[in-house]
């Protein structure tokens, strides 16, 4: 009888653990790689990284989204069509609407964006690391929301994405303590994160950071031009999204 009672208690406790794991009552260790830490308070499933991210900017009410179809000049329509042609999935979502209000800005801006996004020697994954850090520092929730799915497609885990300190929590120390330990197995990623963070925090980089990043990126000064350009361009994007309160596309 005693053994039977003990067995029943064990099975009951085991069932509770299973229920806790499913519904969030069971809390894993903070460093668990199976269930990533989230910036939000909600509990998410580790089986689907795409669903682990909760957007915060998709409900923003924009101040200005650019000229309406009736207001557009022929020049603006031409630029709009060129943007849409190269961004078939997202179209004019993001900063392009406000930029289109000034064609002389919109045309070179979208060309620079295309070059920074697709014309550098950095991998897609490396570029997304720079972009997420930039969105985090500039408090651009829309930029961060838009690029989380892109970062996941590029190979980043939600654990890494959630480790990026954001808004007022962003600092060189926070990146060093929270993010860099997850990148320590890849010298390039660590160097890119360190360079980008220092640039965002101090608006320059030290000789030590410059040389160590250059060394990690095959000794190419041009790679540092690319990191600087990507971060600079997406800072401009972030400013636009922030000022005009452009929401992310919930379906992106």
């Amino acid at each position: 009888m005693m053994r039977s009672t003990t067995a029943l208690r064990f099975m009951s406790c085991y069932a509770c653990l299973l229920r806790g794991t499913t519904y969030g009552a069971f809390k894993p260790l903070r460093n668990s790689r199976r269930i990533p830490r989230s910036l939000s308070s909600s509990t998410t499933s580790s089986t689907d990284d795409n669903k682990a991210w909760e957007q915060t900017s998709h409900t923003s009410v924009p101040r200005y989204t650019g000229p309406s179809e009736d207001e557009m000049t022929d020049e603006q329509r031409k630029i709009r069509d060129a943007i849409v042609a190269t961004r078939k999935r997202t179209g004019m979502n993001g900063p392009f609407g406000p930029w289109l209000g000034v064609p002389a800005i919109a045309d070179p801006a979208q060309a620079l964006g295309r070059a920074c996004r697709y014309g550098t020697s950095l991998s897609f994954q490396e570029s997304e690391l720079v972009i997420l850090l930039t969105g985090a520092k500039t408090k651009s929730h829309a930029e961060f929301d838009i690029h989380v799915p892109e970062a996941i497609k590029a190979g980043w885990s939600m654990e890494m994405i959630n480790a990026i300190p954001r808004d007022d929590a962003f600092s060189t120390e926070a990146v060093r303590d929270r993010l860099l330990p997850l990148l320590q197995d890849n010298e390039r990623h660590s160097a890119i994160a360190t360079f980008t963070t220092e640039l965002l925090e101090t608006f320059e980089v030290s000789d030590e950071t410059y040389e160590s990043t250059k060394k990690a990126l095959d000794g190419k000064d041009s790679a540092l031009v690319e990191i600087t350009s990507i971060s600079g361009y997406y800072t401009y994007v972030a400013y636009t999204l922030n000022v005009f309160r452009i929401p992310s596309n919930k379906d992106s």
Side-chain angles (χ1 to χ4, degrees):
M1 179 64 71
M2 184 175 295
R3 278 184 293 178
S4 177
T5 301
T6 302
L8 286 172
R9 287 177 177 172
F10 175 80
M11 292 178 67
S12 177
C13 291
Y14 182 70
C16 288
L17 283 175
L18 288 178
R19 286 196 299 271
T21 303
T22 303
Y23 297 108
F26 177 66
K27 297 182 180 180
L29 294 174
R30 286 181 64 85
N31 291 329
S32 170
R33 290 181 178 269
R34 292 182 59 81
I35 302 178
R37 288 175 291 153
S38 175
L39 291 172
S40 67
S41 59
S42 60
T43 302
T44 53
S45 169
S46 63
T47 60
D48 190 338
D49 278 349
N50 286 288
K51 291 183 179 179
W53 182 253
E54 289 296 329
Q55 294 192 24
T56 59
S57 66
H58 63 282
T59 59
S60 297
V61 178
R63 287 169 164 166
Y64 175 61
T65 58
S68 67
E69 181 67 30
D70 293 338
E71 297 171 331
M72 283 187 197
T73 64
D74 289 342
E75 182 183 15
Q76 287 170 324
R77 288 192 180 91
K78 182 179 179 181
I79 295 171
R80 187 271 314 274
D81 292 345
I83 293 172
V84 171
T86 58
R87 305 176 80 250
K88 296 185 183 299
R89 187 174 63 83
T90 54
M92 294 293 290
N93 184 42
F96 300 101
W99 289 350
L100 195 58
V102 186
I105 289 176
D107 197 27
Q110 66 96 7
L112 176 61
R114 187 166 59 249
C116 288
R117 190 110 167 94
Y118 304 111
T120 75
S121 66
L122 301 186
S123 70
F124 189 32
Q125 188 178 41
E126 291 166 346
S127 295
E128 287 301 322
L129 176 59
V130 176
I131 296 168
L132 287 180
L133 286 166
T134 303
K137 171 60 179 177
T138 55
K139 302 183 181 181
S140 180
H141 288 215
E143 183 163 276
F144 209 91
D145 284 345
I146 289 168
H147 280 274
V148 164
E150 299 298 318
I152 291 171
K153 285 193 294 185
W156 289 118
S157 68
M158 281 306 307
E159 181 182 24
M160 189 287 295
I161 293 169
N162 285 331
I164 297 175
R166 297 177 61 190
D167 300 345
D168 291 335
F170 190 97
S171 69
T172 302
E173 294 75 18
V175 170
R176 180 192 63 209
D177 294 342
R178 293 179 54 179
L179 178 61
L180 291 186
L182 301 178
L183 306 178
Q184 62 184 354
D185 292 337
N186 189 304
E187 185 182 10
R188 285 180 64 94
H189 293 169
S190 296
I192 289 170
T194 299
F195 184 99
T196 303
T197 300
E198 188 172 322
L199 176 61
L200 289 166
E201 274 283 273
T202 68
F203 311 111
E204 61 179 357
V205 295
S206 65
D207 290 341
E208 180 183 0
T209 298
Y210 188 100
E211 293 301 329
S212 62
T213 306
K214 178 181 174 180
K215 180 180 178 181
L217 300 183
D218 304 319
K220 296 179 179 178
D221 291 280
S222 59
L224 307 190
V225 175
E226 293 170 341
I227 298 172
T228 303
S229 299
I230 293 170
S231 185
Y233 172 76
Y234 280 96
T235 295
Y236 173 41
V237 170
Y239 285 173
T240 305
L241 298 175
N242 288 353
V243 168
F244 301 104
R245 296 179 182 168
I246 303 299
S248 64
N249 184 348
K250 182 65 173 175
D251 298 325
S252 65

